[in-house]
Amino acid sequence: MVRNDLANAMGKRDTWENFYKTQSEQGTKQFDWFVGYEEMVDLVSPYLRKQRKPHKAHVVALDIGCGLSNVALQMCLSSNEPMRIVCADIVMTPLETMRQQYQSTRGVVRNSESHLLFTMADASQLPFRDGYFDVVLDKGTTDVIIRSSRGSDLAKTVVQESLRVLRGGGHLLQFSDEDPDIRLTLLNGVTRGVRATVTFKEISTSHGMEYFMYVVQKEN
């Protein structure tokens, strides 16, 4: 019964409203599931390099279910190349916290043409046009969804939406604690009707936990 109640709660917006309200009341400014910026930067950076096309000025990335993670913020601040990163979450509270942090650091952005944007959005119904992003980052969002009462069906929808908003040649990067035997079944199942390739690599962490980065490349 407790497990079912927890699963039902994880799939509800109110759960996350309450979670981030508590974090805000406690003064929490940054919180990362699984891995943080320092552990991710070398893994993600190769996918955030500008495409060598005259009409494309920015790398355009989407961080779904961003919460209070500072990964997008740090990447925007530290990138030599111009970036436009959209941070999306199903609730507004963490977005407002991150927006305030971003506004306070605008003077230290390495590339003055880089921008961080914030929008409240459901990862299963993304409000973006097809092929808009170069990269979609999913750090633990699918893990939460797949453990909710709606489970794998909703997780499939989130992956489908992520692929829809990716351009041809773009990448969906999932950070997860789910074993490849399970996650690859989900990803390969969704991409069966889409021209895409799926790979993964294990991530070493200082605290000895086992995590994985799954890379789905949408073919041109």
Side-chain angles (χ1 to χ4, degrees):
M1 176 64 73
V2 173
R3 184 173 296 176
N4 288 337
D5 289 345
L6 179 60
N8 287 328
M10 289 179 76
K12 294 180 179 179
R13 186 190 301 265
D14 288 349
T15 298
W16 299 106
E17 286 278 13
N18 292 332
F19 175 80
Y20 286 115
K21 180 180 178 182
T22 300
Q23 297 296 312
S24 178
E25 291 171 349
Q26 294 174 349
T28 304
K29 300 296 185 183
Q30 187 266 323
F31 181 86
D32 269 299
W33 303 96
F34 300 152
V35 293
Y37 172 75
E38 294 298 331
E39 294 164 309
M40 290 176 59
V41 59
D42 290 338
L43 295 168
V44 174
S45 292
Y47 301 99
L48 295 175
R49 291 178 182 143
K50 186 170 60 176
Q51 302 301 303
R52 301 303 177 187
K53 298 178 181 178
H55 64 281
K56 192 171 183 62
H58 295 77
V59 173
V60 186
L62 171 65
D63 184 0
I64 58 172
C66 62
L68 291 174
S69 170
N70 73 342
V71 169
L73 174 62
Q74 291 301 323
M75 288 181 175
C76 181
L77 295 179
S78 62
S79 175
N80 288 315
E81 299 192 54
M83 302 186 64
R84 182 175 289 120
I85 307 178
V86 179
C87 295
D89 202 279
I90 199 170
V91 294
M92 182 59 70
T93 302
L95 296 174
E96 287 298 332
T97 299
M98 296 309 299
R99 190 199 310 273
Q100 292 171 13
Q101 292 187 52
Y102 172 60
Q103 290 173 344
S104 70
T105 57
R106 281 298 293 155
V108 295
V109 176
R110 182 168 294 179
N111 189 307
S112 61
E113 296 182 13
S114 292
H115 300 283
L116 203 59
L117 307 171
F118 302 88
T119 186
M120 193 166 78
D122 186 330
S124 66
Q125 303 176 58
L126 293 171
F128 308 108
R129 62 176 172 81
D130 295 359
Y132 183 73
F133 294 98
D134 300 302
V135 174
V136 175
L137 177 64
D138 172 353
K139 189 163 72 69
T141 299
T142 293
D143 291 61
V144 168
I145 290 169
I146 213 164
R147 290 173 169 87
S148 73
S149 57
R150 296 172 65 185
S152 60
D153 287 341
L154 186 57
K156 290 176 184 176
T157 301
V158 170
V159 176
Q160 289 168 345
E161 275 291 274
S162 297
L163 293 175
R164 178 185 66 78
V165 301
L166 273 179
R167 64 167 177 81
H171 297 84
L172 165 62
L173 308 178
Q174 285 192 346
F175 287 82
S176 172
D177 66 354
E178 191 167 60
D179 189 270
D181 289 344
I182 301 173
R183 183 55 58 91
L184 291 178
T185 299
L186 167 67
L187 295 176
N188 286 323
V190 172
T191 58
R192 191 168 292 127
V194 181
R195 294 179 60 192
T197 57
V198 182
T199 58
F200 74 94
K201 61 180 65 177
E202 188 174 342
I203 303 170
S204 298
T205 64
S206 58
H207 46 81
M209 298 297 291
E210 186 178 64
Y211 299 118
F212 302 92
M213 182 175 80
Y214 296 92
V215 180
V216 183
Q217 182 175 16
K218 184 176 180 180
E219 296 183 12
N220 287 307

